[in-house]
C-alpha cells in the first residue's frame, strides 16, 4: 500500500505537488486556447507541459523524491527533495514527461496508452523540430483522458482544474458521442471563449454593441437572392438567426435537395459567424450542431414558384416568398 509523504515547510515549494498542479492547470488552459485559435503546434507544447506537470504533481503527492532525475548528483537531489540538503537552483533536476509517465505506469497510476505517448512525441517535435499539426489537432482526447486520471489520483475535482473548459473536456472522453459531435461542440465553446476574452475588462455595452451592430455585409435579416456555385451545384446563402457560440448574427448556407414544378427545397449545409469565427460545414456537422444547439437553426427552406421556371431561375427568387421548417 502506497502512503503519501507529508510535505515539509523546508522543502522547495516550487517542487511541491500543489505547485506542479497549478502549473499544469495554467498550461492546460493555454493548450485549449491554442487549439481554438487554431495553433496546433503551440497546443502540443502546452498540452505536453500540462501532462508533465500534473504527472509530477501525482508523483510528488506520493513522495517528493519520485520527481528526482537520476544523474550524478542524484543522492543530493533525493536529500534536497526530502528537505535535508539545500541545492542551488541550477542544480535542481526533475524528470521529464516521458520518465514521469513511466514511473506512474510502474506504480499503477497510469496505464499504457499509445495516444498519450504520441502526444508527448508531438510535444517534443514541436519543441525541437517541425511537428505534424494534423496529428496535434486530434490530441484533445488523450490530453483530457490523462488529466482526468491524474486528477482522480490527486482527489482534485475536474471542474476545479478545467473551469470553463469542463464541458468540452468531458465530451472529449465521452465515447457515447461520435467524433463529429465532439469536434463541433468543442469548436463552439472555443469560439465562445475567444469572443468573450476580447471584451474582458471592457464595459458591458461594448460587447452588446458588437452583437447588435450590422454585419459587414450587404445581406439583410434574410439575404437578398443570390446564386452561388460549388462546382455545378447551386447554393443559396441567407442569414440564419443567432450564432450558437456568441449570440451574434450568423450566415446559414443552403443547397437544393429537390424541386417540383411549383417548389424547390433547400437544406442547410453550413453555418458561419463573422463575429466569433465559429463555422460548421456539411450535413454531418450541421446535424451535430442541431444536436448541440437547442433550439436548433433553420434546417430547410422551401421556395414556391411558377411551374415554368428552371432550377437556376428558382434559385434567384425573392427570399420573402420562402417558408422555413
Amino acid at each position: 500500500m502506497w502512503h503519501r509523504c507529508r510535505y515539509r515547510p523546508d522543502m522547495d515549494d516550487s517542487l511541491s505537488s500543489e505547485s506542479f498542479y497549478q502549473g499544469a492547470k495554467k498550461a492546460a488552459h493555454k493548450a485549449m486556447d491554442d487549439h481554438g485559435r487554431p495553433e496546433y503546434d503551440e497546443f502540443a507544447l502546452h498540452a505536453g507541459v500540462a501532462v508533465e506537470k500534473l504527472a509530477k504533481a501525482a508523483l510528488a503527492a506520493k513522495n517528493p523524491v519520485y520527481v528526482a532525475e537520476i544523474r550524478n548528483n542524484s543522492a543530493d537531489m533525493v536529500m534536497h527533495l526530502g528537505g535535508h540538503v539545500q541545492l542551488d537552483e541550477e542544480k535542481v533536476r526533475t524528470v521529464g514527461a516521458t520518465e514521469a509517465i513511466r514511473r506512474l505506469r510502474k506504480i499503477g497510476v497510469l496505464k499504457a496508452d499509445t495516444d498519450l505517448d504520441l502526444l508527448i512525441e508531438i510535444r517534443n517535435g514541436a519543441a525541437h523540430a517541425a511537428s505534424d499539426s494534423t496529428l496535434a489537432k486530434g490530441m484533445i482526447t488523450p490530453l483530457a483522458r490523462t488529466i482526468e486520471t491524474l486528477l482522480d489520483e490527486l482527489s482534485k475535482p475536474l471542474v476545479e482544474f478545467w473551469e470553463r473548459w469542463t464541458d468540452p473536456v468531458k465530451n472529449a472522453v465521452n465515447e457515447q458521442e461520435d467524433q463529429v459531435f465532439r469536434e463541433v461542440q468543442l469548436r463552439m465553446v472555443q469560439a465562445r471563449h475567444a469572443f468573450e476574452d476580447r471584451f474582458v475588462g471592457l464595459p458591458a455595452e461594448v460587447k452588446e454593441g458588437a452583437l447588435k451592430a450590422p454585419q459587414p455585409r450587404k445581406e439583410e435579416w434574410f439575404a437578398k437572392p443570390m446564386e452561388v456555385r460549388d462546382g455545378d451545384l447551386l447554393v443559396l446563402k441567407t442569414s440564419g438567426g443567432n450564432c450558437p457560440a456568441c449570440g451574434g448574427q450568423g450566415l446559414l448556407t443552403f443547397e437544393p435537395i429537390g424541386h417540383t414544378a411549383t417548389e424547390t427545397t433547400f437544406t442547410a449545409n453550413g453555418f458561419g459567424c463573422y463575429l466569433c469565427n465559429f463555422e460548421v460545414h456539411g450535413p454531418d456537422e450541421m446535424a451535430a450542431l442541431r444536436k448541440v444547439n437547442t433550439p436548433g437553426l433553420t434546417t430547410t427552406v422551401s421556395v414556391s414558384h411558377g411551374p415554368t421556371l428552371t432550377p437556376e431561375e428558382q434559385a434567384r427568387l425573392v427570399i420573402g416568398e420562402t417558408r422555413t421548417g
Side-chain angles (χ1 to χ4, degrees):
M1 181 174 180
W2 294 99
H3 298 278
R4 297 181 186 275
C5 178
R6 180 177 297 177
Y7 180 73
R8 293 173 45 176
D10 54 347
M11 294 182 188
D12 187 346
D13 184 65
S14 67
L15 302 176
S16 69
S17 178
E18 181 62 23
S19 179
F20 285 130
Y21 168 84
Q22 293 298 334
K25 179 178 178 179
K26 183 177 180 180
H29 283 233
K30 286 182 178 180
M32 297 301 288
D33 289 336
D34 292 334
H35 196 279
R37 273 192 278 269
E39 295 177 0
Y40 300 125
D41 291 349
E42 291 297 315
F43 161 74
L45 278 170
H46 287 128
V49 170
V51 169
E52 177 179 336
K53 287 185 177 293
L54 202 59
K56 291 180 182 179
L59 288 170
K62 290 189 175 297
N63 193 314
V65 301
Y66 290 172
V67 301
E69 185 179 53
I70 306 303
R71 283 194 176 186
N72 294 333
N73 67 337
S74 58
D76 290 344
M77 183 65 184
V78 167
M79 288 188 285
H80 172 79
L81 291 169
H84 295 94
V85 170
Q86 292 296 317
L87 291 179
D88 293 336
E89 183 177 344
E90 64 270 13
K91 294 183 179 180
V92 175
R93 295 288 185 271
T94 60
V95 293
T98 301
E99 178 60 20
I101 291 168
R102 188 191 71 81
R103 293 182 185 184
L104 288 171
R105 286 172 176 166
K106 193 168 186 177
I107 61 178
V109 174
L110 291 178
K111 297 180 180 180
D113 185 342
T114 56
D115 288 336
L116 174 58
D117 295 338
L118 179 59
L119 170 60
I120 300 304
E121 289 176 9
I122 295 173
R123 175 267 180 109
N124 293 337
H128 304 296
S131 68
D132 189 329
S133 294
T134 302
L135 284 176
K137 179 182 178 181
M139 291 293 106
I140 286 283
T141 298
L143 170 65
R145 186 170 57 232
T146 304
I147 293 292
E148 183 176 20
T149 300
L150 294 175
L151 289 177
D152 286 343
E153 176 66 22
L154 291 164
S155 299
K156 295 281 192 179
L158 197 70
V159 67
E160 177 189 291
F161 183 88
W162 284 115
E163 297 178 350
R164 68 180 187 175
W165 292 110
T166 302
D167 286 341
V169 166
K170 284 182 178 179
N171 281 326
V173 295
N174 183 3
E175 296 182 356
Q176 295 180 351
E177 298 290 357
D178 63 38
Q179 183 65 27
V180 175
F181 174 85
R182 295 198 297 259
E183 289 181 357
V184 169
Q185 197 267 359
L186 175 61
R187 293 207 308 266
M188 186 172 71
V189 175
Q190 288 172 329
R192 180 182 302 136
H193 291 338
F195 179 75
E196 295 287 345
D197 289 347
R198 287 161 52 188
F199 300 94
V200 172
L202 298 177
E205 54 266 25
V206 176
K207 176 183 172 182
E208 294 171 2
L211 290 171
K212 294 177 181 178
Q215 298 185 28
R217 308 185 181 100
K218 296 180 180 180
E219 292 89 343
E220 298 172 352
W221 174 257
F222 282 106
K224 296 179 181 179
M226 67 180 67
E227 178 181 315
V228 180
R229 290 184 176 274
D230 181 6
D232 294 330
L233 180 67
L234 279 175
V235 181
L236 176 67
K237 287 182 179 287
T238 180
S239 296
N242 289 342
C243 171
C246 70
Q249 288 297 306
L251 192 69
L252 273 167
T253 305
F254 293 86
E255 64 179 359
I257 57 173
H259 63 87
T260 66
T262 58
E263 186 175 82
T264 298
T265 302
F266 297 85
T267 186
N269 72 340
F271 177 83
C273 177
Y274 84 97
L275 274 177
C276 67
N277 296 320
F278 174 62
E279 293 183 350
V280 295
H281 304 280
D284 291 342
E285 290 196 352
M286 284 300 298
L289 178 60
R290 289 192 290 271
K291 186 175 180 180
V292 172
N293 183 44
T294 304
L297 297 165
T298 299
T299 59
T300 60
V301 174
S302 296
V303 180
S304 299
H305 52 72
T308 60
L309 296 180
T310 66
E312 287 78 7
E313 292 170 326
Q314 294 163 14
R316 302 189 185 99
L317 288 175
V318 177
I319 296 301
E321 299 175 2
T322 68
R323 57 181 184 274
T324 61

